[in-house]
Amino acid sequence: MSSIEFLKAYNADNCDVFEGMTSISAVIKSIVDNISDRRIISVLFDRERADQKRRELKYIQNMSKALNFELVEIDSDEISSLTSGDTHGGIVAICSKREFPPMNVKFLTIGNFYVLIEGIEDPYNFGYSVRSLYAAGVDGIVLPPRNWMEISGVVAKSSAGTSELANICVADPVEAVKAFKNKGFKVVCAGIRDSVSIYDYNFDQPILLIVGGEKRGISRKLLDMADATVRIDYGRDFMGSLPSASAVSVIAFEVARQKRR
């Protein structure tokens, strides 16, 4: 089998492609720490960059023995045929799909911080949001059944690998909100209408934060179920809105600040 045939064989609908060491290292850590049921099938590297990537390849070679995947050298043009952009560094991983479990209320801990993401329209904004939530210390992320994790490689790249490390589950949004409320969580939507400033709201309690996309926002059903709507106060008169990922970052770190306090 030629390298091109090899790539085509593994770049099937039941596989994800992860580009670069940041994403691949996150996949490895998620497997080692039992965060994910994903399996690495092969790691492919550009033979022309082998000397430059000696340290990374040594690490991957050691992990290939532990996790039972193959390490294959191929040509640079074949790497390019499998990737988007040029930030892969000459290394990609072919992995099995990851199954995201349904939400289980037994694992919701009072006092923690969860986020329900609904309707972010762009996979890169979604990935940036996951990165900020992970960095802020979110305990879990709830996604609707249709979500951007179907293209996990793209999301891992934009999230700096954190999408592979975050505690992510799937649930119908309305049913998820009902479950959180039954467990004593306050459900808070990010929005403008009838809102209070994030700096005036008490986040130091069990919180489910709901965030939506820039175009569609949060669905009316979820807004009607919320205990409060919070907004970000700007430093000047500004009629626009922040990108979804930026808004998620600001709110998440305010929650983190209050909980640390």
Side-chain angles (χ1 to χ4, degrees):
M1 178 183 292
S2 71
S3 295
I4 291 293
E5 291 172 335
F6 177 88
L7 294 176
K8 289 180 178 179
Y10 283 112
N11 190 21
D13 290 340
N14 62 341
C15 293
D16 286 321
V17 178
F18 292 85
E19 305 177 16
M21 278 303 300
T22 299
S23 294
I24 296 171
S25 297
V27 172
I28 290 174
K29 179 173 174 56
S30 73
I31 296 171
V32 171
D33 292 350
N34 292 318
I35 298 170
S36 168
D37 64 348
R38 197 184 295 285
R39 182 173 62 88
I40 300 175
I41 300 169
S42 301
V43 172
L44 316 176
F45 69 94
D46 184 348
R47 59 167 55 92
E48 297 175 8
R49 300 195 194 187
D51 287 340
Q52 303 171 18
K53 301 291 182 179
R54 191 174 302 154
R55 184 178 64 178
E56 291 93 336
L57 290 175
K58 181 65 175 176
Y59 166 72
I60 292 176
Q61 186 176 42
N62 290 336
M63 296 310 302
S64 71
K65 298 174 183 177
L67 300 180
N68 192 30
F69 62 82
E70 54 187 345
L71 183 59
V72 182
E73 65 174 35
I74 61 175
D75 295 330
S76 59
D77 60 340
E78 295 171 340
I79 288 278
S80 297
S81 72
L82 188 62
T83 58
S84 59
D86 55 3
T87 59
H88 49 75
I91 302 176
V92 299
I94 311 299
C95 304
S96 66
K97 291 285 187 181
R98 174 183 174 184
E99 291 293 328
F100 293 93
M103 191 184 82
N104 190 334
V105 294
K106 294 180 180 179
F107 297 109
L108 301 182
T109 305
I110 291 296
N112 286 356
F113 172 36
Y114 292 80
V115 174
L116 169 60
I117 298 178
E118 186 199 41
I120 291 183
E121 295 86 0
D122 178 79
Y124 292 95
N125 270 332
F126 176 81
Y128 301 148
S129 298
V130 171
R131 185 195 307 195
S132 294
L133 291 172
Y134 185 82
V138 70
D139 295 289
I141 299 173
V142 183
L143 301 178
R146 293 188 63 183
N147 58 71
W148 285 117
M149 294 308 297
E150 295 172 2
I151 49 174
S152 293
V154 173
V155 174
K157 188 176 180 180
S158 59
S159 72
T162 57
S163 59
E164 290 299 300
L165 303 175
N167 175 25
I168 297 176
C169 63
V170 174
D172 173 79
V174 171
E175 295 304 315
V177 170
K178 290 178 181 178
F180 274 96
K181 289 175 78 72
N182 287 338
K183 288 285 287 187
F185 280 71
K186 292 296 183 181
V187 176
V188 179
C189 288
I192 297 297
R193 183 172 295 179
D194 300 324
S195 62
V196 297
S197 170
I198 60 172
Y199 307 113
D200 294 328
Y201 190 80
N202 175 25
F203 288 109
D204 194 14
Q205 55 184 320
I207 291 291
L208 171 67
L209 173 66
I210 304 176
V211 294
E214 296 167 45
K215 295 179 181 179
R216 289 180 290 173
I218 299 169
S219 63
R220 173 49 56 186
K221 285 184 178 180
L222 299 190
L223 288 169
D224 290 343
M225 297 173 72
D227 297 296
T229 300
V230 297
R231 68 176 185 274
I232 299 170
D233 289 336
Y234 300 143
R236 57 163 51 91
D237 289 337
F238 177 55
M239 297 304 294
S241 61
L242 294 177
S244 297
S246 299
V248 167
S249 298
V250 173
I251 300 173
F253 278 95
E254 174 59 18
V255 176
R257 184 190 71 82
Q258 289 193 26
K259 287 187 174 295
R260 180 177 297 174
R261 179 187 63 190

